[in-house]
Amino acid sequence: LEPFPLFILLYFQLPFALIPVLTFTSLPSVMNDFANGLFWRVAGGLLILLICCINMYFVVAYVMSLNHVALYIGAAILSVVYLSFVAYLVSL
């Protein structure tokens, strides 16, 4: 097996930076007059969703290139846990 490349870890960490930035910049209590409006919240949310989908595609493509069933199962379990946590962050 190949060593786990570091760029895969970056794919998992990116939403944990983007989602809080969008959340905090959309809060009027934090940003006062500079808070994001509805249009920018929706546009930012769609952009984050697109970036997360692209990242998940690259993770799935990498795991599939390893051709090992245990890695498929491990990646599926990790993906469900990861997506659940991202959904929790979005719901806050």
Side-chain angles (χ1 to χ4, degrees):
L1 293 175
E2 297 178 26
F4 196 71
L6 291 178
F7 66 87
I8 296 294
L9 293 176
L10 294 176
Y11 289 155
F12 282 113
Q13 293 173 353
L14 188 60
F16 296 108
L18 295 177
I19 293 170
V21 166
L22 181 63
T23 302
F24 290 135
T25 58
S26 298
L27 292 174
S29 61
V30 175
M31 298 298 292
N32 296 323
D33 294 336
F34 299 105
N36 292 335
L38 179 62
F39 173 77
W40 290 113
R41 282 185 286 199
V42 171
L46 291 174
L47 185 62
I48 290 172
L49 181 65
L50 176 68
I51 290 170
C52 290
C53 289
I54 292 169
N55 287 344
M56 289 306 291
Y57 169 77
F58 284 126
V59 170
V60 169
Y62 174 73
V63 170
M64 290 181 72
S65 71
L66 296 177
N67 294 325
H68 198 272
V69 175
L71 293 174
Y72 293 162
I73 294 170
I77 292 170
L78 181 64
S79 295
V80 168
V81 170
Y82 172 75
L83 291 174
S84 298
F85 189 65
V86 169
Y88 168 74
L89 285 177
V90 169
S91 71
L92 292 177

